[in-house]
Amino acid sequence: MDNTLSNTALTEPHGPRPKRLISTRNIVLYGFLIVAALYWLLPLYVMIITSLKGLPEIRMGNVFSPPVEITFAPWAKAWDSACTGLYCEGLKVGFWNSVKILIPSTIISITIASVNGYALSFWRFKGSEIFFTILLFGAFIPYQVMLYPLVIILRELHLFSSLGGVVLIHTIFGMPILTLLFRNYFASVPEELFKAARVDGAGFWRIFLQIMLPMSLPIFVVAIILQVTGIWNDFLFGIIYAGTHNFPMTVQLNNIVNSTQGVKEYNVNMAATLLTGLLPLIVYFISGKLFVRGIAAGAVKG
Amino acid sequence: MSNNLTNQQAPASEATGRQRRHPLLRNLSAKIAAIPMVLVTLVGFVGCSVWSIVYSFTSSKSLPRETFVGLKQYDRLFDSSRWQASVENVAIYGVCSLVFSLGVGFLLAVAMDQKIRFENTFRTIFLYPFALSFIVTGLVWQWLLNGDFGIAQVIRDIGFTNFEFNILSDREYSIYAIVIAGLWQGTGFVMALMLAGLRGIDQDIWKAARVDGIPAWRTYLFIVIPMMKPVFITTLVIIASGIVKVFDLVVALTDGGPGVSSELPAKYVYDWMFGRGNLGQALAASTVMLSTVLIILIPWAYLEYSQKKDATHG
Amino acid sequence: MTSVAISDLSLSFGPVEVLKSLNLEVEEGEFVVLLGPSGCGKSTLLNCIAGLLDVTAGQIFIDGKNVTWEEPKDRGIGMVFQSYALYPQMSVEKNLSFGLRVAGLPKNEIIERVSRAAEILQIEPLLKRKPGALSGGQRQRVAIGRALVRDVNVFLFDEPLSNLDAKLRTDLRVELKRLHQRLGNTMIYVTHDQIEALTLADRIAIMKDGLIQQFDSPSNIYNNPHNRFVAGFIGSPGMNFLQGALVSEAGQWFFNAEGLRVPLSDYRFVHPPQEGQAVEFGLRPEHIVVGDASTTQPVTMQVDTELVEPMGADTVLWTNVAGHALTIRTDSESNVKTGDNINIGFNTARVSIFSENGERV
Amino acid sequence: MTSVAISDLSLSFGPVEVLKSLNLEVEEGEFVVLLGPSGCGKSTLLNCIAGLLDVTAGQIFIDGKNVTWEEPKDRGIGMVFQSYALYPQMSVEKNLSFGLRVAGLPKNEIIERVSRAAEILQIEPLLKRKPGALSGGQRQRVAIGRALVRDVNVFLFDEPLSNLDAKLRTDLRVELKRLHQRLGNTMIYVTHDQIEALTLADRIAIMKDGLIQQFDSPSNIYNNPHNRFVAGFIGSPGMNFLQGALVSEAGQWFFNAEGLRVPLSDYRFVHPPQEGQAVEFGLRPEHIVVGDASTTQPVTMQVDTELVEPMGADTVLWTNVAGHALTIRTDSESNVKTGDNINIGFNTARVSIFSENGERV
Amino acid sequence: ANATELEVTHWWTSGGEAAAVKVFADAFNAGGDTWKDGAIAGSGGTARPVIISRIIGGDPMGATQLNHGRQAEELVEEGLMLDLTELAEKEGWKDLVRPSSLLDACTLDGKVYCVPVNIHSFQWMWTSLDAYKKAGVDAPADWNEFVASAPKLREAGITPLAVGAQTWQTNGMFGVIRMGLGGIDLFRKTDVERDPEAIRGETMASIFKAFGEARSLDDENNSIQNWNDATSQVINGTHGAQIMGDWAQGEFQVAGQTAGVEYDCLPGLGIAPALDTGGDAFYFPVQDDPEKTAAQLRMASMMISKPVQVDFNLKKGSLPVRGDVDLAAANECMKKGLEILKDPANIVPGGDQLFSQDTLGQLEDLLAEFWTNPDMTPEDAHDAWATLYEEAD
Ligand SMILES: Nc1ncnc2c1ncn2[C@@H]1O[C@H](COP(=O)(O)OP(=O)(O)OP(=O)(O)O)[C@@H](O)[C@H]1O
Ligand SMILES: Nc1ncnc2c1ncn2[C@@H]1O[C@H](COP(=O)(O)OP(=O)(O)OP(=O)(O)O)[C@@H](O)[C@H]1O
Ligand SMILES: [Mg+2]
Ligand SMILES: [Mg+2]
């Protein structure tokens, strides 16, 4: 091939287009991102530094100034010995209760919702769409409306004030959005796969368990994240339906934060707050990437 | 075509195949598997809604009683200035959080989609508040927005000694404090949804627009946003269902105050249902909320549904 | 013996009638291709045979047994899908054995069948891989293997090649054909690609709008189309159609069109022609002879070349005669250029004439 | 005049070098096709020309102007994408005019250009529709129209037909060719379908691994491939390759393989052959003559038929000679059956011989 | 007796309250049973739904705090509360409990269902003597002096009035001002007799006017929610005074302050020495287990017993429900209160007994709005208030 061209003009543009690192575009772009990030980080920053300050320092100092003397006492107190009423056992009791509620609730609510989504995508029957529509409307019903009748329903089922009860409640309230997620996801799975499995003789459950489940990881990640944060942060259902011996961590948090023993112990409050939020936060930090990917994998279609 | 088969129905008599199943028994496992959903929709959602509508016509106090009083609860509801304030507030809160969380969420997603550095970090930063409970959000923002020692104090410390910023105790603006905290919590999730949507756009569209010389902002505005309609709809459903139900945040942040200036309908329902023992009034309020939602949703769902039908036929 | 018989099959999706009282009889060991334009109901028919759709009316027999209401797995069929529908998270081996495990076959039986299928399809080295790590052709073989292990008499294929590129398609076509010769089962194969249909089929069923238009051997379909739709659908580039009328003169029939008059001495009418009958005159591009050789043909004429399309082995000429477009396929040696006026010739024994309602005259 | 010139173009994605110091010069009004296997860098090259990717090294000239650093819109190019990338929520008219409106052209100018493009492409009746309501072919025309209204000299196409079914593909190919004849702009067209390349191109650039293997007219590419890759890539069914060696005997060169000995009297060597040199002997299926006519060919032999593949106009025979597989393409009139032992013949003037490193000997 | 564990729900979580609960718990535990504390912080609004749901849902707690009065009426009617009549008769509560209205509030159809544990009245104003010292003004002896001294306090950088933003506080404050400025007679006319003339009368109008003027006395940017946070402001001397029930007393005590030294208390705003007798009561939801029922009765008996009443009320800052206890240990303010209580004419029933929670809620909303909305005129507020009174049930 001829080489005349390359000789003509080395003075002319050649090679990669020169890029300025500090272009207007980059300034605007990163400026915007950084300002936004500051807004989002500010509360976390305040929570953390406050939780590490002693009370006198809080009273005198500026909310935003870093602690002069770092103390972990508030964390220890929040976890171990913060009081509500007569008990000074901190959050630690509630933590395990929360875990006790979280695990079965997450598993059962996601299990049922995923079966719903699967049935609604591959095994439609007469009226299945109507149920789905009602289910979606259900997402808009304020919890409070259902609080009362659900107390009565649970009483009749002998599930009130039990782990089973609160699991059922989380299953009910998680169902609309989760079913929507799973249905949209399964809608993007090729129907041929389903047909192939049927020709292979697999039935409803086997197709679900052996074919669909293993390929639904992304959407399960999304569902798990949503449920873990939702259930972990729940206060109302836990306190009403779970029974005293199962009070979740948020109940203790509420008690610690809302009861003042003389001076408001902001540092303990903040530490308690952070401790309560730790588990969902960790879940997010670990799986944030999977979360976005999972949403992209079908949750937002249609 | 060969028609000899029709004469040859013989195989039918000799072969005894399985008979046609009864319609109810077809798809049996699917129907069994759907029982929880059917129960939840019928007993849970429909049942509870009907229950609450029925008892909204009674004078039930702490406990449901069949003492029907016609529209009395509704008369009182619509006369109540707190209810009016609540409706007004939910409108403000709804519009603001819709506009800003969609707007800011989309902008953030766009920024994140520019092949930036530290994308993971930024995404986590925007997303983490979604992991926190409203109690936490309320507490933190109550603090930050405190006129005495919150952000306002910092600005005063910087030198603007006369700076006053105390929307928490300003009845005109207290609802915006809730908006600010709500946005802080929820926008990250919207961003994640939008980002997923953006990533789903055909790369060729971008190239086509560049060849056409269409500036990026116009591409977003006129091409990409319309293409992301399904994402916007999913997001809208999620945000809107959150708006209707917002409760914990108000309780934690302002408790409806000062006065009744930041009350919201869900709290109205809650207060009367439990704190103030007037179930009928609470249920009347919730019925109004429910029917508003239905009035908005049904035409929309109908439109969506009929449009989809058209699309498959066209 | 009849392997698959379909009698008066109808299927509707709500108000839309997709299959309309369709009949079809497939002999044992036959390779039948269902060919038709997109949306004509090919996949629907196949799904009915497989039992994946519930029929609205009619009956389906497989190996003499009425299976209209059987479960797919009990019909003695295997099916291969367009996208192969391999279970993505299972190894090839698991993919093959899934159906057998569902059926609860003994372990050694499963192992034996899988290894036999793997041997036939030459996929032994791939057994431990996941579908994601296979090429298109390998995936197809696995998909076929999944049908193979089921030890059934009837194989159903739904456009198994349409996702592949041209080169792979050619290779796999041959492989499929070989496989059929080796196994000898009945195969029903859906496609909308006529090359596939012509190369693979013992008989082709041409479908349109839920009805079978012609069910015949490839050469009959190609040379002797029953109606205009079949004629136009088969062949690439497509058959040339000229509008005109039949006229007779001294016991000799002619095809008359604007500026054209073709004597039909060699054409075998299947229905008695009528004087002045409006007809379409169909002529395949590859049945037209160009250049010097054309003079030996019964009918000759001169045409203007508008476009020359070299296609490797052949060249397609897009020409014009008295305002009628005429496509001609010739070998690549001819040196025709755009704009040339050339001589052509053809034999009316090889043309097809259709009445206004589309039936062959 | 040179319309598009690419000089020493390199492009890397991180550590992966996709284009490797590539040179290409396209004449004005030429229709150039970039052909190559998937992943060879065709789209990447096209995107570089369009300015959609920043090059790593090298220069790009369009109409004599160095556009290496220009924005896509300023390069005087129009581009048509595989998925067409129509703006789905805009009407066809808006799709066509959006770029012009953004550029701030006067209204009447816009109207004029759009209507001219619509007329050329015959999409006037569709102007008010949305892309969703168009067929595949119509969409393609709109996509071309979008390039057309920009009044540019160079059109770039990235596999614009690969999403369509076979029949439509044939039709649109012809339309594209006609459009090119009518407009006379330079067109650079990417595909991995050789039929498209052969029918459309004035010149074909065969690419592999980011390098151009041969840039030549279709008939040269077809008849005179520079290397084994090009030879094997073009033609369907593919060229037959036989492994063997060159031997000379009495000044006459022979190709020797197990059980075969082919005199190369008519072959034109491009490099002096060496005694005993290991080579591959390439013979196109369609250059083999079957039956009685074969006796007139310089080289004849007998082969066993393993499979007969009728393909409408042609038939492909899969045969075997002394253990070497040989594919033969013949017309459909031959009545060869599977298992037949038949006579074949060919002319060594039409074979290609490649050395071990793949270069033509 | 068998040791039985009883869960007790309440919303007493502030410093003084928790100390008082401990008295109960210790006493109960000392009897060999176990007090399982079920505190739910964040005022009755959070706790009540939980309590009611659990009783209705069939998981009743052993005992629960509820404001006596009409709140529990329906639960009692449903037969969900333990009948304490036998115990009450045995121990002669009728004679012990003073004022008798407290027991009446626990009685439905002649049966007793709850144990009143203390008398609370809202009619107090707490002033910070420190703050006045700082401002160089004499501490006020009544509301009028307080209003007069307000500008001086402001000059010294001290906010005159500390108010928590919760609506019930505003409402209570209004009640106190109403009683102080209008007197007991007016209160009886409006709240007990519901005399429309009194309700819409001149005096009420002037009270609304005064309340309207009081709006300027608190923080412009008040960001405090809880009453005890407001009390802290008074304790710290940054605010001049707070109108709050006698439970605030407990906070001063926990902070180690002494009445008359660091702070002062003015019952009835120092004008009309009257006290309303609200208060807390414990109910005992019906249990299946007879063991528990027995323990419930033990607890009820313990709560009203003499030493517990003394200890409890000292800690809580409230007055005992028994007339026959010796409160020598009581502080200055409590003694003032006891003094007033001696004359039955000074005693008025609490709001919980007079109005349904429903009406109280509406009143709260109205007054909270009036308090925070400077655009709302006293006339408007009076009119709306009167309407609510006329429709109240
Ligand atoms: N589930 C369904 N509901 C309604 N209509 C359907 C459904 N499935 C198919 N159809 C319609 O039935 C007709 C036949 O569809 P079918 O899939 O059998 O066509 P096909 O011949 O296989 O076409 P293709 O070559 O595109 O695969 C089409 O018009 C299609 O729109
Ligand atoms: N953004 C990218 N980052 C990294 N590698 C890329 C990127 N885009 C393309 N490649 C790689 O560059 C090579 C050439 O890609 P290109 O899209 O040009 O191939 P192509 O010839 O157009 O293939 P096809 O026929 O499949 O479209 C491929 O190996 C591909 O994996
Ligand atoms: Mg199909
Ligand atoms: Mg490409």
Side-chain angles (χ1 to χ4, degrees), chain A residues 240-255:
Chain A
I240 291 183
Y241 299 103
T244 2
H245 36 283
N246 293 324
F247 273 178
M249 200 173 182
T250 37
V251 175
Q252 261 101 30
L253 174 70
N254 171 68
N255 283 347

Side-chain angles (χ1 to χ4, degrees), chain D residues 166-219:
Chain D
K167 201 157 175 57
L168 200 53
R169 213 140 61 190
T170 319
D171 296 348
L172 290 180
R173 223 160 54 205
V174 176
E175 246 182 68
L176 260 179
K177 188 80 191 172
R178 288 220 174 101
L179 191 72
H180 177 236
Q181 287 180 346
R182 176 159 178 194
L183 297 174
N185 347 22
T186 309
M187 293 191 172
I188 302 181
Y189 185 105
V190 161
T191 183
H192 57 241
D193 183 38
Q194 40 166 316
I195 299 289
E196 272 175 37
L198 291 167
T199 49
L200 287 171
D202 292 328
R203 280 200 287 170
I204 298 177
I206 305 261
M207 282 185 74
K208 187 193 166 194
D209 294 343
L211 281 174
I212 291 180
Q213 304 288 320
Q214 184 167 0
F215 184 33
D216 221 329
S217 71
S219 79

Side-chain angles (χ1 to χ4, degrees), chain B:
Chain B
M1 210 175 309
S2 69
N3 256 345
N4 49 4
L5 239 178
T6 34
N7 315 329
Q8 221 191 43
Q9 297 253 334
S13 50
E14 80 190 38
T16 47
R18 196 196 280 214
Q19 292 309 297
R20 184 169 206 147
R21 283 149 291 179
H22 188 273
L24 262 182
L25 295 179
R26 278 150 71 187
N27 256 350
L28 195 60
S29 328
K31 284 172 183 164
I32 291 170
I35 286 175
M37 177 178 77
V38 170
L39 284 181
V40 167
T41 48
L42 289 187
V43 180
F45 295 127
V46 176
C48 291
S49 301
V50 169
W51 181 89
S52 66
I53 291 169
V54 168
Y55 282 96
S56 73
F57 295 106
T58 69
S59 63
S60 298
K61 303 247 174 274
S62 291
L63 300 178
R65 294 276 159 82
E66 287 85 30
T67 45
F68 290 97
V69 293
L71 290 173
K72 221 167 139 192
Q73 298 286 10
Y74 290 89
D75 282 342
R76 177 172 148 191
L77 179 72
F78 292 125
D79 278 346
S80 154
S81 64
R82 174 168 162 189
W83 174 253
Q84 285 157 13
S86 303
V87 170
E88 210 174 286
N89 282 337
V90 84
I92 295 174
Y93 177 79
V95 170
C96 288
S97 40
L98 266 185
V99 169
F100 283 100
S101 64
L102 281 179
V104 177
F106 183 74
L107 279 183
L108 285 175
V110 166
M112 301 281 290
D113 202 30
Q114 306 297 312
K115 299 197 175 70
I116 54 161
R117 289 157 158 275
F118 312 115
E119 184 189 323
N120 279 338
T121 314
F122 278 118
R123 190 189 46 238
T124 310
I125 290 173
F126 300 139
L127 210 47
Y128 85 90
F130 194 67
L132 300 174
S133 87
F134 273 121
I135 297 184
V136 175
T137 307
L139 186 75
V140 177
W141 281 97
Q142 203 177 46
W143 230 36
L144 287 173
L145 295 176
N146 188 305
D148 296 332
F149 53 82
I151 297 171
Q153 179 61 33
V154 176
I155 296 176
R156 279 193 292 270
D157 285 350
I158 295 171
F160 303 91
T161 39
N162 292 325
F163 184 82
E164 283 294 334
F165 179 73
N166 200 349
I167 56 174
L168 274 183
S169 47
D170 188 326
R171 46 182 302 283
E172 297 276 339
Y173 298 109
S174 54
I175 185 69
Y176 295 98
I178 295 171
V179 172
I180 290 175
L183 285 177
W184 178 77
Q185 177 144 33
T187 306
F189 184 56
V190 175
M191 178 218 57
L193 289 170
M194 295 283 161
L195 189 58
L198 281 179
R199 299 262 152 97
I201 300 267
D202 182 4
Q203 283 303 309
D204 280 354
I205 289 278
W206 283 106
K207 293 181 177 174
R210 273 189 72 193
V211 171
D212 266 355
I214 299 162
W217 66 271
R218 284 180 88 143
T219 312
Y220 276 114
L221 208 60
F222 296 113
I223 297 169
V224 172
I225 291 184
M227 285 178 79
M228 278 172 53
K229 197 174 139 203
V231 182
F232 274 94
I233 288 173
T234 308
T235 315
L236 213 67
V237 169
I238 293 175
I239 303 180
S241 68
I243 289 170
V244 176
K245 292 191 285 200
V246 66
F247 169 75
D248 318 34
L249 184 61
V250 211
V251 174
L253 192 55
T254 64
D255 201 20
V260 294
S261 62
S262 60
E263 293 287 353
L264 288 170
K267 184 161 178 284
Y268 187 93
V269 174
Y270 184 85
D271 280 354
W272 253 279
M273 188 173 280
F274 296 107
R276 294 170 174 183
N278 190 339
L279 207 54
Q281 178 67 18
L283 293 178
S286 73
T287 302
V288 170
M289 286 170 73
L290 208 60
S291 28
T292 315
V293 168
L294 286 184
I295 287 169
I296 296 170
L297 278 189
I298 285 180
W300 173 74
Y302 178 78
L303 266 178
E304 269 301 300
Y305 183 65
S306 58
Q307 253 179 20
K308 272 200 188 121
K309 245 183 166 168
D310 287 350
T312 49
H313 282 268

